[in-house]
Amino acid sequence: MKRLFLSAALLAGAAGFCSVSAQQADSAKVDHLTEVTVKALRATKKTPIAYTNLTKEQLRGLNYGMDVPYLLSLTPSITTTSDAGNGIGYTSLRVRGTDPSRINITANGIPLNDAESASVFWVNMGDFASSVQSMQIQRGVGTSTNGAGAFGATLNMLTESIGAKPYLGIDVSGGSYASHKETLRFSSGMLSGHWGIQGRLSNIGSQGYLDRASTKLNSYFLQAGWFGNNTVVKFLTWNGIEETYHAWNYTSKYEQSLYGRTYNSCGVMGYDANGNPNSYYEDQTDNYHQQNYQLIWNQQITRNLSSNVGLHYTKGNGYYQQYQSADTQMWYGKSWASFGLSTDDSVVEDLADQQKMDNDFYGFVASLNYNNKRNLDVIVGGGWNQYLGDQFGRIVWTKPGVVTTVAEPAALLPDFEYYRNHSRKTDFNFYGKATYEFVSGLNAFVDLQYRHVGYKLQDPTVMYGVNRDKSYVIDNQYNFFNPKFGINYDINSQHRVYASYGIGHKEPVRNNFMQQIANPDREDTKARPERLNDLEVGYKFQSKHFTAGANIYWMDYKDQLVLTGELNAIGEALTKNLENSYRLGLELEAAWMPVDWFRWDANATFSRNRVKDMVVTLTDGTNVNLGDQPLAFSPNFILNNILTFSYKGMKASVQSQYISDQYLTNTGFKDMECKDENGNTTYETLQLKNHFCTNVDLSYSFSLKKFGIKDITAGVTLYNIFSAKFDNNGWAAPQLINDNGTIKAVNEWGVRDSGAAGFAPSAPFNVMAHLSINF
């Protein structure tokens, strides 16, 4: 690592002696050609949808170690989660209540979503925000994009430009819970007027707010480019290496009352005489290495015509290792025979296993952009991507002296592989978009996309003896047509109105098929593709000192795959199809800057999120229709407020967020009936309670040019200054009973809410100091 940092520093320093022709390069033209990369996917002021742009400067003012979801948390309609409780490690993003697997994410127009889970695991992309030039998040169906279908939102990112001048930058952060971030940034600038190299080295770590919820993230980003008068060719590569201790079980309120708010049940091996946990499995970790490659060619063919072609390859390899007690195995109906360690189904003892992944994802994207510079802008494009994945499990430790018989002799050897399955997924799409100005200020927008998905999956059951014949139990083909239409009218230079209607489709993910295979006789677990009809109507006002906007959305779903509130054995949130549901909301935004040194930004979302005719199964096996009920993890109200003060080099920002109650299930029950330690009736929550959280960021910037330092920024960020106690995520699986004609949610598994609900607490007041130096 030291050699890498030294090499980067020498490279950037040597670049300072290059010819002055680099500084005379037409950087504006280079930037224009670079932006062709994402032009096909991005919305503009003429696009009739709701979106938010974030610049490199805005991201840098937030990027002190937390993952990308937390850098976006103050934009409209967003909620975030953090397993460790402090925004570092396993985090996720929800938009308008839709879960992460419904958010399409690209970098330079190339898809990043995992092909099988449809999510992006930001823990595998440590400090990626330090290499981003800009981001755009589109809410709703959005414009056509590559990769996983956008079903709730789209996030497209443009990586950092190489720049015309050389530089060297160092960013350092450190604070509560042993959290730290070190980043070295460098660029050669333009070499001989045509070449350039730019990159980053990063290290992020934290002990986490929760017990043992540690995170170690190492990453790099490197790009090299050739820049001609009308051509940009870039090769980019970046990686992420992570080691994260599990914190995905969450804990019940009852467990927290016994062991404290930071209690983490993952890896607990033993208890003392008083029932307190006293031994832990040290290797209860998630380990993954993700390596990305991109080759991008942007061409200005004529004054009106430009093109973009991108090739990509991602290699992923890793595993999570976990201790499984006998109690845990029995909870999930397993015995040692399930692991190939015994022929006797009654043998159930402690063990540790690794569940591993080895996958390849590759393909290409392309677009052709025509703009007549008057009233017509046309884009045609598409992409082809293929995913090949192996998932397999190995036994790494067993309780000594237990095994008397084994399913096969190899089980006596270390690292015995007890299951393996393979999957193949192909995603192909092409689209055409056009914006046409009929009369001055009035634009029509049309966007038509065809998407084909082929998914072949061997039996994904994580159990010995399954999938012996290697046949594909899932071999599905999906064909989706996703049209979008809209109009935008610039009434004058200050007022704009727009309206759009779009249709989106999305295929089920791996976990949906796992549930279907595990419950072949249940109709409600059959995995079906989903359809979204999205209507957006908005208004924007802009003046010198004040801007404001309002957007109304109506998202009507057929077979929406909705979070149920339950988790599987490795902490993944489960979803299932609900036949009819909708999300109706109003998004408001405003910014006021009466003087140069003060700015006030605010946004709010009011929404109603409902499933129609929610049918549930009671413990006696009967089905009951509960009628219309709130959708899980979908708050009715979100408010963000940002006050920014700046004077010369000093800057202060006060950032506040309020999020209303969120249901943990789709049943509408706010609590469940339980029994305490003494058998008395008690009631425990089935909600993430509303919370109000405030952060304060203070910084001072200055320069020391006589020492060769362009600028220095030093500061401190105070998170959750009022120490609000709230949960950012949770799960719930209560039993439902008919009590003399009244349907109730109850917990019959354990004391109070143990075994039926879990919560992920957020950290109270904590601090992060930060320093950035640019040479």
Side-chain angles (χ1 to χ4, degrees):
M1 180 62 73
K2 289 182 178 178
R3 289 184 179 179
L4 289 172
F5 271 84
L6 180 59
S7 299
L10 290 174
L11 175 65
F17 295 97
C18 295
S19 64
V20 294
S21 62
Q23 299 181 19
Q24 297 170 347
D26 187 355
S27 59
K29 190 169 187 177
V30 168
D31 289 343
H32 168 72
L33 279 170
T34 300
E35 288 170 2
V36 170
T37 301
V38 294
K39 181 180 178 182
L41 307 184
R42 286 209 166 165
T44 68
K45 291 182 178 180
K46 294 182 179 180
T47 310
I49 64 170
Y51 67 91
T52 300
N53 291 326
L54 288 173
T55 66
K56 180 172 68 174
E57 290 72 24
Q58 290 173 310
L59 292 169
R60 188 158 291 173
L62 299 168
N63 184 22
Y64 307 131
M66 289 187 175
D67 299 335
V68 167
Y70 277 75
L71 305 188
L72 297 169
S73 63
L74 295 176
T75 60
S77 301
I78 283 182
T79 57
T80 56
T81 71
S82 170
D83 284 2
N86 65 330
I88 301 175
Y90 267 94
T91 62
S92 70
L93 180 75
R94 296 184 184 127
V95 182
R96 293 181 178 175
T98 59
D99 77 290
S101 67
R102 271 104 194 114
I103 302 173
N104 172 276
I105 299 175
T106 58
N108 302 322
I110 291 171
L112 294 179
N113 297 70
D114 175 76
E116 292 201 279
S117 70
S119 297
V120 169
F121 298 98
W122 297 104
V123 72
N124 301 329
M125 299 180 63
D127 202 23
F128 189 71
S130 289
S131 297
V132 170
Q133 184 76 18
S134 64
M135 294 183 183
Q136 182 181 86
I137 185 162
Q138 302 173 7
R139 301 182 293 279
V141 167
T143 62
S144 289
T145 184
N146 298 306
F151 214 70
T154 300
L155 173 62
N156 58 68
M157 300 179 286
L158 177 66
T159 55
E160 194 169 14
S161 62
I162 291 175
K165 298 180 180 181
Y167 66 79
L168 177 67
I170 300 172
D171 305 320
V172 180
S173 303
S176 303
Y177 316 117
S179 301
H180 61 90
K181 170 180 174 289
E182 299 83 37
T183 302
L184 174 67
R185 299 173 285 105
F186 58 89
S187 174
S188 67
M190 286 292 180
L191 304 173
S192 302
H194 291 288
W195 296 91
I197 300 174
Q198 187 266 345
R200 163 188 59 81
L201 294 167
S202 297
N203 175 51
I204 296 176
S206 176
Q207 291 301 310
Y209 169 61
L210 267 64
D211 300 338
R212 305 180 311 286
S214 60
T215 299
K216 299 177 183 177
L217 309 178
N218 291 293
S219 63
Y220 76 80
F221 177 91
L222 184 66
Q223 62 174 323
W226 185 86
F227 304 88
N229 289 333
N230 297 300
T231 305
V232 170
V233 179
K234 293 204 296 185
F235 173 76
L236 306 91
T237 180
W238 70 87
N239 83 337
I241 300 175
E242 63 93 4
E243 179 184 317
T244 307
Y245 193 94
H246 299 182
W248 56 42
N249 279 2
Y250 309 155
T251 52
S252 65
K253 296 298 183 183
Y254 175 63
E255 289 173 308
Q256 291 180 25
S257 72
L258 295 176
Y259 312 126
R261 192 166 181 259
T262 63
Y263 175 64
N264 177 13
S265 64
C266 292
V268 173
M269 296 182 69
Y271 296 83
D272 62 21
N274 297 318
N276 297 313
N278 64 353
S279 62
Y280 308 95
Y281 186 62
E282 292 184 0
D283 293 326
Q284 187 92 359
T285 56
D286 182 89
N287 305 266
Y288 201 77
H289 178 201
Q290 181 172 294
Q291 186 75 47
N292 295 74
Y293 302 95
Q294 294 185 354
L295 180 62
I296 297 172
W297 172 26
N298 295 331
Q299 183 70 43
Q300 190 71 42
I301 302 170
T302 68
R303 177 175 175 271
N304 304 108
L305 192 64
S306 62
S307 65
N308 162 252
V309 176
L311 304 177
H312 69 90
Y313 172 64
T314 300
K315 177 66 178 180
N317 186 280
Y319 65 91
Y320 69 86
Q321 186 162 312
Q322 64 178 348
Y323 165 80
Q324 296 199 43
S325 68
D327 290 341
T328 300
Q329 293 170 53
M330 287 188 290
W331 178 267
Y332 289 103
K334 285 190 171 186
S335 66
W336 271 28
S338 303
F339 298 96
L341 297 175
S342 175
T343 58
D344 184 353
D345 279 331
S346 66
V347 177
V348 182
E349 292 290 349
D350 300 351
L351 59 80
D353 72 328
Q354 286 183 354
Q355 296 195 17
K356 310 190 74 171
M357 294 181 63
D358 187 357
N359 49 66
D360 302 271
F361 180 59
Y362 53 87
F364 72 89
V365 300
S367 66
L368 189 65
N369 314 312
Y370 173 78
N371 189 327
N372 69 359
K373 309 298 182 181
R374 298 189 308 275
N375 62 349
L376 179 64
D377 195 351
V378 178
I379 301 172
V380 293
W384 177 90
N385 308 290
Q386 186 166 81
Y387 169 90
L388 304 174
D390 283 298
Q391 300 208 16
F392 51 100
R394 292 175 178 171
I395 305 298
V396 296
W397 174 85
T398 59
K399 189 172 183 177
V402 176
V403 178
T404 55
T405 62
V406 293
E408 59 180 66
L412 295 172
L413 302 175
D415 294 331
F416 167 63
E417 183 175 296
Y418 69 96
Y419 78 89
R420 177 181 286 265
N421 60 74
H422 177 76
S423 58
R424 178 189 298 265
K425 187 173 185 179
T426 303
D427 186 319
F428 167 76
N429 85 95
F430 61 85
Y431 57 82
K433 310 178 186 181
T435 302
Y436 181 71
E437 187 174 36
F438 288 95
V439 295
S440 180
L442 180 61
N443 297 277
F445 173 77
V446 61
D447 181 342
L448 305 176
Q449 181 196 50
Y450 165 77
R451 181 169 176 253
H452 171 81
V453 179
Y455 188 32
K456 298 179 69 175
L457 174 65
Q458 292 174 351
D459 194 332
T461 305
V462 183
M463 191 176 295
Y464 174 79
V466 175
N467 194 40
R468 287 297 186 182
D469 63 358
K470 306 298 182 183
S471 63
Y472 290 96
V473 298
I474 300 297
D475 188 356
N476 290 356
Q477 306 292 317
Y478 302 98
N479 293 284
F480 300 135
F481 177 57
N482 301 316
K484 307 165 186 77
F485 308 92
I487 57 172
N488 177 85
Y489 181 43
D490 293 324
I491 301 171
N492 54 41
S493 61
Q494 293 186 326
H495 301 274
R496 177 170 79 94
V497 293
Y498 63 84
S500 66
Y501 172 75
I503 297 175
H505 294 85
K506 190 166 179 59
E507 71 280 6
V509 299
R510 181 188 183 92
N511 280 341
N512 300 126
F513 291 115
M514 291 181 71
Q515 293 176 78
Q516 174 180 297
I517 292 167
N519 303 278
D521 299 325
R522 287 180 53 181
E523 187 67 27
D524 64 336
T525 62
K526 289 185 178 179
R528 304 186 299 274
E530 46 190 339
R531 172 189 170 106
L532 166 62
N533 297 274
D534 182 21
L535 176 65
E536 310 268 340
V537 179
Y539 164 76
K540 297 284 186 179
F541 171 81
Q542 183 169 350
S543 65
K544 182 178 180 181
H545 298 291
F546 180 71
T547 61
N551 184 78
I552 298 173
Y553 62 87
W554 168 261
M555 302 170 73
D556 188 56
Y557 297 88
K558 172 67 175 175
D559 293 324
Q560 181 183 188
L561 282 161
V562 175
L563 292 167
T564 66
E566 299 170 284
L567 302 180
N568 65 13
I570 59 170
E572 295 175 316
L574 298 181
T575 61
K576 74 173 184 178
N577 293 105
L578 297 181
E579 186 174 356
N580 294 302
S581 56
Y582 67 88
R583 301 180 188 275
L584 171 65
L586 169 64
E587 296 168 329
L588 301 174
E589 297 179 79
W592 181 45
M593 192 171 181
V595 290
D596 292 341
W597 52 267
F598 173 71
R599 180 183 172 101
W600 182 10
D601 292 89
N603 62 75
T605 301
F606 302 84
S607 64
R608 180 178 174 85
N609 311 279
R610 293 291 186 271
V611 53
K612 302 176 182 178
D613 297 319
M614 181 63 194
V615 177
V616 298
T617 302
L618 306 184
T619 55
D620 62 8
T622 60
N623 292 328
V624 176
N625 189 327
L626 299 179
D628 290 8
Q629 297 297 339
L631 288 171
F633 302 100
S634 302
N636 291 334
F637 180 57
I638 301 173
L639 172 67
N640 296 303
N641 188 71
I642 307 169
L643 302 174
T644 305
F645 306 85
S646 57
Y647 179 72
K648 295 185 177 180
M650 295 181 291
K651 184 178 179 181
S653 178
V654 181
Q655 308 152 2
S656 298
Q657 183 179 67
Y658 174 82
I659 298 178
S660 66
D661 293 344
Q662 302 175 60
Y663 288 85
L664 291 178
T665 72
N666 300 296
T667 63
F669 290 107
K670 295 182 178 181
D671 51 36
M672 58 183 166
E673 185 178 291
C674 310
K675 299 294 184 182
D676 65 14
E677 303 93 323
N678 301 314
N680 299 315
T681 299
T682 182
Y683 293 88
E684 303 292 338
T685 185
L686 289 174
Q687 290 185 313
L688 300 179
K689 294 298 186 179
N690 65 78
H691 68 269
F692 179 80
C693 183
T694 299
N695 305 327
V696 175
D697 182 64
L698 305 171
S699 64
Y700 178 64
S701 300
F702 58 98
S703 64
L704 293 172
K705 293 184 178 179
K706 64 180 180 179
F707 296 105
I709 300 175
K710 294 178 183 177
D711 61 77
I712 299 176
T713 300
V716 61
T717 303
L718 313 175
Y719 296 104
N720 195 2
I721 60 172
F722 301 117
S723 279
K725 290 185 178 181
F726 64 94
D727 302 307
N728 65 77
N729 206 2
W731 68 271
Q735 299 85 60
L736 301 179
I737 65 171
N738 188 332
D739 184 8
N740 296 319
T742 301
I743 308 301
K744 287 184 178 180
V746 301
N747 179 25
E748 298 177 346
W749 299 118
V751 177
R752 290 178 51 187
D753 60 344
S754 60
F759 300 86
S762 287
F765 173 70
N766 63 101
V767 178
M768 184 73 83
H770 41 88
L771 175 69
S772 179
I773 305 175
N774 292 303
F775 298 93

